[in-house]
Amino acid sequence: MKLTQSRILTPALHPRLLLLLFLLSPFLLAGCAVTETGGINLISVEEEWEMGKEFEAELAEELDVSQSPDLTEMGERIVAQTRKSDLPWRFYVVQDDSVNAFNVPGGLVYVHSGLIEQVDDETEIAAVVAHEIGHGVARHGTERLTRQYGLAVLAGVVLGEEPGVIQQIVAEIVAAGTIARFSREQEFEADELGVQYMNDAGYDPNGMIRLLERLVDLQEREPGTVEQFFATHPSTDERIDAVRELINSN
Ligand SMILES: [Zn+2]
């Protein structure tokens, strides 16, 4: 199982961490049986938002980011429909010509300027933002981190004892344009939540279909611009069908 495979694990464990490991051991054992979509998450929401501040600061160094009042207003309108509306979320435009967007643990949503330029319809941007907020609300990022880095390392990050790990994760985000490759099921879940939030926030959920169709079209005409997106968001045709079904069933 991956939770205990970390190479960064240091022998000198913090006492609180040892206690945590002891208390969590039944969960860790139970976790062995959980599959890819099982969603083991051993990072608390409070810890996630603490880590988010570190990610935010590091990404501000590594990427050309800025805040846009329009994007923030849209993001807040969508977040208000979620069960994590009481937490602080931040929305950033990344100056980058490629078409991409990603969620980072701790309520962070990044949208590339290339995506905003390709889209002329506000509801399509709302679809991207709602999808990324969906990943954040479902906590897919910390699920992935739990699996990838292991509880001990992540607890060390939260306690400030593994500062190098934050930089390592940020370097991966910068290289891949996302916190991690999500599973097919996680993508469908983010779409499902996104459609629901769009509806509740008063955006036409068909914007999600128009966006996905636009991305498929771009892939044919300018594959380079959407390469990162398609590497991290699989099976677009299937997603279009699933979103259409969701909208029709509402
Ligand atoms: Zn996604």
Side-chain angles (χ1 to χ4, degrees), residues 103-123:
N103 162 247
V104 171
L108 295 158
V109 173
Y110 295 84
V111 182
H112 283 197
S113 57
L115 190 151
I116 295 168
E117 278 154 31
Q118 286 285 351
V119 167
D120 43 36
D121 171 356
E122 187 200 34
T123 60

PDB file of all heavy atoms in Angstrom, residues 103-123:
ATOM      1  N   ASN A 103      -7.107  23.008  -9.497  1.00  0.00           N
ATOM      2  CA  ASN A 103      -7.421  23.280  -8.098  1.00  0.00           C
ATOM      3  C   ASN A 103      -6.245  22.804  -7.262  1.00  0.00           C
ATOM      4  O   ASN A 103      -5.655  21.774  -7.543  1.00  0.00           O
ATOM      5  CB  ASN A 103      -8.696  22.521  -7.712  1.00  0.00           C
ATOM      6  CG  ASN A 103      -8.866  22.371  -6.216  1.00  0.00           C
ATOM      7  OD1 ASN A 103      -8.798  21.273  -5.662  1.00  0.00           O
ATOM      8  ND2 ASN A 103      -9.065  23.460  -5.517  1.00  0.00           N
ATOM      9  N   VAL A 104      -5.910  23.585  -6.246  1.00  0.00           N
ATOM     10  CA  VAL A 104      -4.838  23.232  -5.316  1.00  0.00           C
ATOM     11  C   VAL A 104      -5.470  23.160  -3.920  1.00  0.00           C
ATOM     12  O   VAL A 104      -6.326  23.998  -3.592  1.00  0.00           O
ATOM     13  CB  VAL A 104      -3.705  24.285  -5.370  1.00  0.00           C
ATOM     14  CG1 VAL A 104      -2.682  24.078  -4.276  1.00  0.00           C
ATOM     15  CG2 VAL A 104      -3.029  24.263  -6.746  1.00  0.00           C
ATOM     16  N   PRO A 105      -5.078  22.154  -3.094  1.00  0.00           N
ATOM     17  CA  PRO A 105      -5.684  22.034  -1.766  1.00  0.00           C
ATOM     18  C   PRO A 105      -5.649  23.348  -0.976  1.00  0.00           C
ATOM     19  O   PRO A 105      -4.689  24.116  -1.083  1.00  0.00           O
ATOM     20  CB  PRO A 105      -4.820  20.965  -1.089  1.00  0.00           C
ATOM     21  CG  PRO A 105      -4.359  20.112  -2.213  1.00  0.00           C
ATOM     22  CD  PRO A 105      -4.134  21.061  -3.361  1.00  0.00           C
ATOM     23  N   GLY A 106      -6.704  23.567  -0.203  1.00  0.00           N
ATOM     24  CA  GLY A 106      -6.786  24.770   0.593  1.00  0.00           C
ATOM     25  C   GLY A 106      -7.596  25.874  -0.090  1.00  0.00           C
ATOM     26  O   GLY A 106      -7.401  27.055   0.181  1.00  0.00           O
ATOM     27  N   GLY A 107      -8.495  25.484  -0.982  1.00  0.00           N
ATOM     28  CA  GLY A 107      -9.403  26.452  -1.594  1.00  0.00           C
ATOM     29  C   GLY A 107      -8.787  27.347  -2.644  1.00  0.00           C
ATOM     30  O   GLY A 107      -9.132  28.524  -2.751  1.00  0.00           O
ATOM     31  N   LEU A 108      -7.860  26.805  -3.421  1.00  0.00           N
ATOM     32  CA  LEU A 108      -7.180  27.600  -4.453  1.00  0.00           C
ATOM     33  C   LEU A 108      -7.582  27.134  -5.842  1.00  0.00           C
ATOM     34  O   LEU A 108      -7.537  25.943  -6.140  1.00  0.00           O
ATOM     35  CB  LEU A 108      -5.657  27.463  -4.284  1.00  0.00           C
ATOM     36  CG  LEU A 108      -5.107  28.053  -2.987  1.00  0.00           C
ATOM     37  CD1 LEU A 108      -3.771  27.432  -2.621  1.00  0.00           C
ATOM     38  CD2 LEU A 108      -4.966  29.574  -3.124  1.00  0.00           C
ATOM     39  N   VAL A 109      -7.981  28.080  -6.674  1.00  0.00           N
ATOM     40  CA  VAL A 109      -8.345  27.765  -8.059  1.00  0.00           C
ATOM     41  C   VAL A 109      -7.521  28.653  -8.987  1.00  0.00           C
ATOM     42  O   VAL A 109      -7.461  29.873  -8.802  1.00  0.00           O
ATOM     43  CB  VAL A 109      -9.857  27.978  -8.312  1.00  0.00           C
ATOM     44  CG1 VAL A 109     -10.194  27.811  -9.792  1.00  0.00           C
ATOM     45  CG2 VAL A 109     -10.687  27.002  -7.462  1.00  0.00           C
ATOM     46  N   TYR A 110      -6.848  28.024  -9.955  1.00  0.00           N
ATOM     47  CA  TYR A 110      -6.009  28.732 -10.927  1.00  0.00           C
ATOM     48  C   TYR A 110      -6.570  28.504 -12.326  1.00  0.00           C
ATOM     49  O   TYR A 110      -6.828  27.362 -12.705  1.00  0.00           O
ATOM     50  CB  TYR A 110      -4.565  28.216 -10.860  1.00  0.00           C
ATOM     51  CG  TYR A 110      -3.889  28.511  -9.532  1.00  0.00           C
ATOM     52  CD1 TYR A 110      -4.070  27.665  -8.440  1.00  0.00           C
ATOM     53  CD2 TYR A 110      -3.098  29.649  -9.366  1.00  0.00           C
ATOM     54  CE1 TYR A 110      -3.473  27.942  -7.216  1.00  0.00           C
ATOM     55  CE2 TYR A 110      -2.493  29.928  -8.146  1.00  0.00           C
ATOM     56  CZ  TYR A 110      -2.686  29.077  -7.071  1.00  0.00           C
ATOM     57  OH  TYR A 110      -2.097  29.349  -5.864  1.00  0.00           O
ATOM     58  N   VAL A 111      -6.749  29.593 -13.070  1.00  0.00           N
ATOM     59  CA  VAL A 111      -7.248  29.499 -14.446  1.00  0.00           C
ATOM     60  C   VAL A 111      -6.227  30.172 -15.357  1.00  0.00           C
ATOM     61  O   VAL A 111      -5.835  31.323 -15.117  1.00  0.00           O
ATOM     62  CB  VAL A 111      -8.628  30.201 -14.599  1.00  0.00           C
ATOM     63  CG1 VAL A 111      -9.139  30.047 -16.029  1.00  0.00           C
ATOM     64  CG2 VAL A 111      -9.640  29.636 -13.597  1.00  0.00           C
ATOM     65  N   HIS A 112      -5.769  29.468 -16.387  1.00  0.00           N
ATOM     66  CA  HIS A 112      -4.797  30.060 -17.318  1.00  0.00           C
ATOM     67  C   HIS A 112      -5.455  31.167 -18.157  1.00  0.00           C
ATOM     68  O   HIS A 112      -6.613  31.023 -18.566  1.00  0.00           O
ATOM     69  CB  HIS A 112      -4.264  28.984 -18.265  1.00  0.00           C
ATOM     70  CG  HIS A 112      -3.243  28.074 -17.650  1.00  0.00           C
ATOM     71  ND1 HIS A 112      -2.410  27.285 -18.387  1.00  0.00           N
ATOM     72  CD2 HIS A 112      -2.922  27.842 -16.350  1.00  0.00           C
ATOM     73  CE1 HIS A 112      -1.599  26.592 -17.583  1.00  0.00           C
ATOM     74  NE2 HIS A 112      -1.906  26.913 -16.337  1.00  0.00           N
ATOM     75  N   SER A 113      -4.684  32.215 -18.428  1.00  0.00           N
ATOM     76  CA  SER A 113      -5.189  33.300 -19.284  1.00  0.00           C
ATOM     77  C   SER A 113      -5.517  32.755 -20.680  1.00  0.00           C
ATOM     78  O   SER A 113      -6.439  33.233 -21.335  1.00  0.00           O
ATOM     79  CB  SER A 113      -4.164  34.429 -19.373  1.00  0.00           C
ATOM     80  OG  SER A 113      -2.925  33.929 -19.856  1.00  0.00           O
ATOM     81  N   GLY A 114      -4.792  31.724 -21.125  1.00  0.00           N
ATOM     82  CA  GLY A 114      -5.048  31.119 -22.440  1.00  0.00           C
ATOM     83  C   GLY A 114      -6.451  30.556 -22.531  1.00  0.00           C
ATOM     84  O   GLY A 114      -7.099  30.631 -23.581  1.00  0.00           O
ATOM     85  N   LEU A 115      -6.943  30.012 -21.438  1.00  0.00           N
ATOM     86  CA  LEU A 115      -8.309  29.474 -21.435  1.00  0.00           C
ATOM     87  C   LEU A 115      -9.319  30.623 -21.519  1.00  0.00           C
ATOM     88  O   LEU A 115     -10.261  30.570 -22.297  1.00  0.00           O
ATOM     89  CB  LEU A 115      -8.530  28.641 -20.169  1.00  0.00           C
ATOM     90  CG  LEU A 115      -9.824  27.814 -20.106  1.00  0.00           C
ATOM     91  CD1 LEU A 115      -9.613  26.572 -19.249  1.00  0.00           C
ATOM     92  CD2 LEU A 115     -10.999  28.585 -19.559  1.00  0.00           C
ATOM     93  N   ILE A 116      -9.074  31.669 -20.728  1.00  0.00           N
ATOM     94  CA  ILE A 116     -10.002  32.804 -20.713  1.00  0.00           C
ATOM     95  C   ILE A 116     -10.073  33.452 -22.101  1.00  0.00           C
ATOM     96  O   ILE A 116     -11.148  33.828 -22.567  1.00  0.00           O
ATOM     97  CB  ILE A 116      -9.583  33.824 -19.622  1.00  0.00           C
ATOM     98  CG1 ILE A 116      -9.721  33.170 -18.236  1.00  0.00           C
ATOM     99  CG2 ILE A 116     -10.417  35.104 -19.711  1.00  0.00           C
ATOM    100  CD1 ILE A 116      -9.076  33.929 -17.087  1.00  0.00           C
ATOM    101  N   GLU A 117      -8.921  33.509 -22.799  1.00  0.00           N
ATOM    102  CA  GLU A 117      -8.898  34.115 -24.135  1.00  0.00           C
ATOM    103  C   GLU A 117      -9.632  33.269 -25.178  1.00  0.00           C
ATOM    104  O   GLU A 117     -10.239  33.807 -26.096  1.00  0.00           O
ATOM    105  CB  GLU A 117      -7.454  34.352 -24.582  1.00  0.00           C
ATOM    106  CG  GLU A 117      -6.882  35.643 -24.009  1.00  0.00           C
ATOM    107  CD  GLU A 117      -5.365  35.615 -23.886  1.00  0.00           C
ATOM    108  OE1 GLU A 117      -4.711  34.937 -24.710  1.00  0.00           O
ATOM    109  OE2 GLU A 117      -4.846  36.263 -22.954  1.00  0.00           O
ATOM    110  N   GLN A 118      -9.580  31.962 -25.028  1.00  0.00           N
ATOM    111  CA  GLN A 118     -10.212  31.074 -26.020  1.00  0.00           C
ATOM    112  C   GLN A 118     -11.731  31.068 -25.892  1.00  0.00           C
ATOM    113  O   GLN A 118     -12.429  30.696 -26.825  1.00  0.00           O
ATOM    114  CB  GLN A 118      -9.715  29.628 -25.838  1.00  0.00           C
ATOM    115  CG  GLN A 118      -8.311  29.382 -26.301  1.00  0.00           C
ATOM    116  CD  GLN A 118      -8.176  29.326 -27.819  1.00  0.00           C
ATOM    117  OE1 GLN A 118      -9.168  29.302 -28.545  1.00  0.00           O
ATOM    118  NE2 GLN A 118      -6.951  29.327 -28.295  1.00  0.00           N
ATOM    119  N   VAL A 119     -12.222  31.437 -24.724  1.00  0.00           N
ATOM    120  CA  VAL A 119     -13.649  31.301 -24.428  1.00  0.00           C
ATOM    121  C   VAL A 119     -14.308  32.674 -24.480  1.00  0.00           C
ATOM    122  O   VAL A 119     -13.795  33.621 -23.909  1.00  0.00           O
ATOM    123  CB  VAL A 119     -13.795  30.683 -23.005  1.00  0.00           C
ATOM    124  CG1 VAL A 119     -15.204  30.795 -22.497  1.00  0.00           C
ATOM    125  CG2 VAL A 119     -13.340  29.240 -23.009  1.00  0.00           C
ATOM    126  N   ASP A 120     -15.435  32.771 -25.201  1.00  0.00           N
ATOM    127  CA  ASP A 120     -16.069  34.093 -25.271  1.00  0.00           C
ATOM    128  C   ASP A 120     -17.383  34.133 -24.497  1.00  0.00           C
ATOM    129  O   ASP A 120     -18.117  35.090 -24.543  1.00  0.00           O
ATOM    130  CB  ASP A 120     -16.294  34.496 -26.731  1.00  0.00           C
ATOM    131  CG  ASP A 120     -16.834  33.352 -27.565  1.00  0.00           C
ATOM    132  OD1 ASP A 120     -17.639  32.553 -27.025  1.00  0.00           O
ATOM    133  OD2 ASP A 120     -16.456  33.236 -28.726  1.00  0.00           O
ATOM    134  N   ASP A 121     -17.638  33.070 -23.786  1.00  0.00           N
ATOM    135  CA  ASP A 121     -18.920  32.943 -23.113  1.00  0.00           C
ATOM    136  C   ASP A 121     -18.663  32.777 -21.607  1.00  0.00           C
ATOM    137  O   ASP A 121     -17.931  31.876 -21.191  1.00  0.00           O
ATOM    138  CB  ASP A 121     -19.599  31.707 -23.728  1.00  0.00           C
ATOM    139  CG  ASP A 121     -20.860  31.282 -23.003  1.00  0.00           C
ATOM    140  OD1 ASP A 121     -21.209  31.880 -21.966  1.00  0.00           O
ATOM    141  OD2 ASP A 121     -21.488  30.332 -23.478  1.00  0.00           O
ATOM    142  N   GLU A 122     -19.259  33.653 -20.817  1.00  0.00           N
ATOM    143  CA  GLU A 122     -19.031  33.658 -19.367  1.00  0.00           C
ATOM    144  C   GLU A 122     -19.381  32.306 -18.718  1.00  0.00           C
ATOM    145  O   GLU A 122     -18.703  31.859 -17.794  1.00  0.00           O
ATOM    146  CB  GLU A 122     -19.876  34.769 -18.731  1.00  0.00           C
ATOM    147  CG  GLU A 122     -19.602  34.985 -17.264  1.00  0.00           C
ATOM    148  CD  GLU A 122     -20.729  35.720 -16.536  1.00  0.00           C
ATOM    149  OE1 GLU A 122     -21.914  35.514 -16.895  1.00  0.00           O
ATOM    150  OE2 GLU A 122     -20.424  36.476 -15.613  1.00  0.00           O
ATOM    151  N   THR A 123     -20.420  31.652 -19.222  1.00  0.00           N
ATOM    152  CA  THR A 123     -20.839  30.401 -18.575  1.00  0.00           C
ATOM    153  C   THR A 123     -19.802  29.292 -18.760  1.00  0.00           C
ATOM    154  O   THR A 123     -19.743  28.358 -17.974  1.00  0.00           O
ATOM    155  CB  THR A 123     -22.209  29.901 -19.094  1.00  0.00           C
ATOM    156  OG1 THR A 123     -22.119  29.674 -20.491  1.00  0.00           O
ATOM    157  CG2 THR A 123     -23.308  30.892 -18.801  1.00  0.00           C
TER     158      THR A 123
END
